[in-house]
Amino acid sequence: MTSGRVTVYFAALLARTEDGWEASDTELDDVESLADLMDLARGASTDDDTVIAYIEQEDAWFGLLRVDGEEDPRIFVSDAAAAARSSYGEILLTDELLGRDPDDLDDLVDLDGTEDGEPDGDFGADTPGADGDTVPPGPIGDTLVLDDLGMAEKELLALEGDALGAIADALGCVDVLEAVR
């Protein structure tokens, strides 16, 4: 809850099986890291098949994590800056995705603000550099994450509103998704 308003998240898992797609909504209460989310997604697969984990924050952003067996995950986030302000979004925004070297972060951030310990300017929460990290606005990640499953890059980048519905339509699993929504 922020400023008297409840922040609403929705998460779903879409798992491809030999019989087609299976969908399930899921709780993210125990997910604290990308590894936790990957374990959750891989747990939805019986034979190391493709699983898409979908996370959405009401009209602000959505993110996809695709796991194919033991391969490295593929991630797409519709609006990195909006996701960075979300606890679940931060899970998807890895240093690698943001193009940061985690070993170099200590050199970029002066923990007390300045050499004197006082902030060096009037930084607001929305000012780039206010927290030492800048996250680009707009989409970030693997824009081809769904390309081989029926949703081209151009379609993914154009998604608004009910992104999960459009993704399910492209994957051919609207009926199974609607059963769990």
Side-chain angles (χ1 to χ4, degrees):
M1 183 179 238
T2 56
S3 302
R5 182 178 167 178
V6 175
T7 302
V8 178
Y9 292 94
F10 177 77
L13 296 174
L14 300 171
R16 186 167 62 179
T17 68
E18 60 185 44
D19 298 326
W21 288 93
E22 293 180 3
S24 59
D25 62 342
T26 188
E27 291 295 322
L28 298 175
D29 294 340
D30 296 328
V31 174
E32 296 178 4
S33 68
L34 182 61
D36 292 342
L37 185 58
M38 288 173 22
D39 288 344
L40 183 68
R42 286 190 173 120
S45 173
T46 56
D47 295 322
D48 290 336
D49 292 319
T50 298
V51 178
I52 308 293
Y54 176 90
I55 302 172
E56 168 185 283
Q57 181 183 346
E58 58 179 19
D59 299 330
W61 65 274
F62 71 89
L64 302 169
L65 169 79
R66 176 179 174 169
V67 293
D68 294 293
E70 293 301 317
E71 292 182 29
D72 288 341
R74 296 170 65 186
I75 300 170
F76 173 80
V77 177
S78 66
D79 186 337
R85 295 185 294 269
S86 158
S87 58
Y88 294 124
E90 288 179 344
I91 291 170
L92 295 172
L93 296 174
T94 64
D95 290 332
E96 181 180 353
L97 189 68
L98 294 170
R100 298 186 297 213
D101 182 356
D103 295 332
D104 292 341
L105 289 180
D106 291 336
D107 297 335
L108 297 174
V109 179
D110 182 4
L111 296 178
D112 66 356
T114 68
E115 291 180 11
D116 298 330
E118 294 298 318
D120 198 26
D122 186 22
F123 287 117
D126 295 331
T127 304
D131 62 358
D133 290 329
T134 56
V135 177
I140 192 168
D142 186 348
T143 57
L144 299 174
V145 68
L146 300 175
D147 191 59
D148 64 324
L149 299 174
M151 179 168 274
E153 176 181 32
K154 184 177 180 180
E155 294 171 291
L156 181 64
L157 292 172
L159 288 177
E160 293 181 6
D162 183 17
L164 181 56
I167 291 168
D169 186 40
L171 300 178
C173 62
V174 172
D175 293 340
V176 295
L177 176 64
E178 290 305 317
V180 299
R181 255 186 168 178

